[in-house]
Amino acid sequence: MPANPFSAVIYCDGQFGEQDGKTANGLVRHSEKYEILSVIDSSRAGFDAGMYLDGVPNGIPLVASLAEAIAHTGTVPAYLICGIAPASGMLSREQRSVLLDAIGRGMSIINGLHEFLNDDAEFVAASIASGVTITDVRRPKDKKDLTVFTGRIFDVPCPRIAILGTDGAIGKRTTATLLVQALNARGIRAVMVATGQTSLIQGAAYGVALDAIAPQFCSGELEAQVVAAYEGEFPDVIVVEGQGALSHPAYLTSAYILRGSRPSSVILQHAPARLTLGDYPSIPMPTIASERALIESFSETTVIGVTINHEGLDNEGIAAAIMDVHVENDLPATDPLTRPIDELVNIVLKGIPELAATLSAKAR
């Protein structure tokens, strides 16, 4: 038996550090629930996951196989987390074999894909035989238990900030997580509401995998989570994780986020070096200006700042991008991963004066 009942290995072969490896990327940066022991990616084996991802070692090795992951740990971890997030949401034959191997070794499975393994006879039989569990994170509640929009969001008095973006897999969840941590460190009680599978696996107390819910219930289910976050924590501010982009032709969840959570403010995440949409290389990236105009015309909210995804940029390029965003859009900008996190906090305090007043009142 593993020493830690929440010890875990992440399976992300060939995708770590890439767009389709975003679940693994997020978990090695932050996990409140699972102790991440290693990441399986045979194409990057031998590297430290933190060093490979962010240039800062975190002691989580990248290994070539499940057998190597177990050998490194010295015992069988409790969980194998499927850390890939392909647009199809489905497993390949090779990926299925790795997950079944883990089950055969006595590991439970955490699955964030649209393919529900508890509906797969082969996986169900294997899990029963090994006495382990399979958790399909994206499986929604039964429709009889889902809720439509009620209007209770208007009774939530604290401000809400939505972290939206110009594309999918662009860093919205990372920015939301870092912002909540930084606000709490500054004495502002902040709570995050998750909207995707990775945040839920990381251990978010409030949230729902929006892209797995019938559209009729998306706004209502998110509204219910925001209300629950307020009534459970009475925070000074609620930060809502974004999904996709409002302009994106394939993903509609940003619309439900704006409607269901009614944010007073938006932080917009953008990758200046990304020329086309990540999953659609024939479609050009929207500009900050066009996305901002769309968001502000669609919802009664204001974009108060921009956060930069620095993919494809060196340090000089990041600095230039931040300056360009500010000059071209008259918005403050920062990169929360390479610049002091207080820059992002200050954007929020300037954009939401009542939070600055809350901080001043607590300091007295």
Side-chain angles (χ1 to χ4, degrees), residues 33-196:
K33 182 174 183 179
Y34 299 100
E35 179 191 7
I36 307 303
L37 303 177
S38 61
V39 178
I40 300 169
D41 187 337
S42 59
S43 65
R44 296 159 175 84
F47 286 95
D48 177 277
M51 179 62 72
Y52 186 90
L53 196 61
D54 297 318
V56 180
N58 62 6
I60 300 174
L62 294 168
V63 299
S65 66
L66 179 58
E68 186 176 328
I70 293 172
H72 173 267
T73 305
T75 186
V76 177
Y79 292 92
L80 181 73
I81 300 174
C82 186
I84 55 173
S88 68
M90 308 295 283
L91 289 171
S92 69
R93 182 175 299 178
E94 180 181 356
Q95 291 163 348
R96 285 176 62 90
S97 68
V98 175
L99 269 60
L100 286 167
D101 182 19
I103 291 173
R105 294 171 184 264
M107 299 174 71
S108 293
I109 301 295
I110 304 298
N111 169 42
L113 300 178
H114 284 295
E115 180 179 8
F116 299 148
L117 301 183
N118 280 299
D119 293 341
D120 186 302
E122 184 178 15
F123 275 93
V124 171
S127 65
I128 292 172
S130 294
V132 300
T133 60
I134 298 173
T135 302
D136 291 315
V137 177
R138 266 188 168 126
R139 183 185 287 278
K141 296 180 289 187
D142 291 339
K143 286 188 172 62
K144 64 180 177 60
D145 297 320
L146 295 172
T147 182
V148 296
F149 185 81
T150 65
R152 291 185 67 202
I153 192 67
F154 299 115
D155 297 327
V156 176
C158 73
R160 279 89 67 196
I161 306 169
I163 311 298
L164 303 185
T166 52
D167 193 7
I170 204 168
K172 299 178 289 289
R173 182 197 66 255
T174 297
T175 291
T177 300
L178 292 173
L179 177 58
V180 167
Q181 292 172 345
L183 287 170
N184 279 301
R186 285 280 289 270
I188 295 175
R189 176 66 176 142
V191 174
M192 177 173 161
V193 172
T195 58

Side-chain angles (χ1 to χ4, degrees), residues 261-279:
S261 69
R262 299 281 169 161
S264 58
S265 305
V266 167
I267 298 289
L268 187 60
Q269 182 92 10
H270 182 64
R274 191 181 293 190
L275 301 180
T276 62
L277 295 180
D279 287 327

